[in-house]
Amino acid sequence: MADEELFEAWLDEELDLDAAWDGLTPGPTVDEVMARISTTPSWFLDEAVDVVALAGDVLDESGGPVIAAARKASATSKVVARQSAAVVLWLVSSQELAGPLSTALRVDRLDRALLAMSLRLAAVVEPQRWVDEAERREEAARTLLLWCGQWPGGESEQNARAILSRLDSAARAEALERARRDREHRSEIRRRLEEARAREAASRYSPE
């Protein structure tokens, strides 16, 4: 079940998934990003981590949009949103602490990547699973690269899109949520019609 608070916050951002595929440039490989995610320090996933302060530490004065995105993640009541933002910030800081990736992560779209990870993906997959489970780690790596404006190194954009589509837990959750809401809407319409018919029948046969 998707976290409704995070999904609603994500929808409020009005960031289009299809539009995210426009203007991509080559990035590091999925394996590299997955390896960095797996080494996320435990304190980054601490429930009390202040991701706004962390974003300020990781980024220089050009990090205003990312700090604003971290503030939005912190504004939710969900620990997983803050943890997700912290993982993204670890991937940025790790390029200095653990050595550069083959291609640096783009920072001009990092605010969107942080929001996509902390509001969209975290709504259906907890960040601890990104660290612990290979398939969910691959999903997180590919999601991050997409919203950073990069396709995985060594892959075609078409191939990258097909793989992420297969792995995309959030897209499946969104489809299920839409189906659930449509079903509830149809049930409500049927209920109202039945009530209207019952009232009409009652008024037709009631004694004058």
Side-chain angles (χ1 to χ4, degrees):
M1 178 67 70
D3 186 293
E4 291 187 5
E5 179 187 349
L6 295 185
F7 257 146
E8 288 297 328
W10 168 251
L11 293 174
D12 287 344
E13 295 299 322
E14 298 183 342
L15 294 172
D16 184 67
L17 179 60
D18 289 329
W21 290 95
D22 295 336
L24 299 188
T25 58
T29 67
V30 168
D31 286 346
E32 288 178 273
V33 180
M34 288 177 64
R36 290 297 169 90
I37 292 174
S38 71
T39 62
T40 302
S42 59
W43 73 265
F44 272 72
L45 297 176
D46 190 288
E47 293 187 6
V49 66
D50 184 339
V51 293
V52 177
L54 184 60
D57 290 340
V58 170
L59 299 156
D60 57 22
E61 64 274 5
S62 65
V66 181
I67 294 171
R71 189 169 288 113
K72 289 179 180 179
S74 292
T76 73
S77 65
K78 305 300 180 179
V79 171
V80 292
R82 298 193 296 275
Q83 290 175 324
S84 303
V87 173
V88 174
L89 294 168
W90 160 247
L91 291 170
V92 175
S93 62
S94 75
Q95 294 177 101
E96 291 188 6
L97 299 174
L101 298 168
S102 60
T103 302
L105 294 173
R106 286 176 59 174
V107 295
D108 58 314
R109 297 189 185 183
L110 189 63
D111 57 324
R112 303 190 321 170
L114 191 148
L115 290 171
M117 299 290 276
S118 62
L119 302 181
R120 185 175 184 270
L121 184 54
V124 289
V125 182
E126 295 180 359
Q128 188 63 56
R129 294 180 62 195
W130 308 352
V131 177
D132 296 339
E133 301 176 21
E135 186 168 287
R136 299 285 66 83
R137 186 157 59 249
E138 180 178 359
E139 178 182 11
R142 291 181 178 278
T143 299
L144 175 87
L145 287 172
L146 168 63
W147 288 98
C148 275
Q150 296 170 292
W151 72 76
E155 297 182 18
S156 68
E157 183 177 336
Q158 181 180 11
N159 187 57
R161 188 164 189 162
I163 295 173
L164 182 54
S165 178
R166 174 177 59 81
L167 293 172
D168 198 344
S169 300
R172 290 195 297 274
E174 287 169 338
L176 289 172
E177 183 65 15
R178 284 194 300 270
R180 182 186 68 80
R181 291 182 180 181
D182 287 345
R183 184 172 63 251
E184 289 180 350
H185 180 63
R186 289 193 299 271
S187 296
E188 179 65 14
I189 290 174
R190 284 196 299 270
R191 184 186 66 78
R192 292 182 181 183
L193 286 173
E194 289 168 0
E195 288 179 351
R197 292 191 188 104
R199 287 194 298 269
E200 182 181 354
S203 63
R204 185 181 304 162
Y205 296 109
S206 62
E208 295 182 0

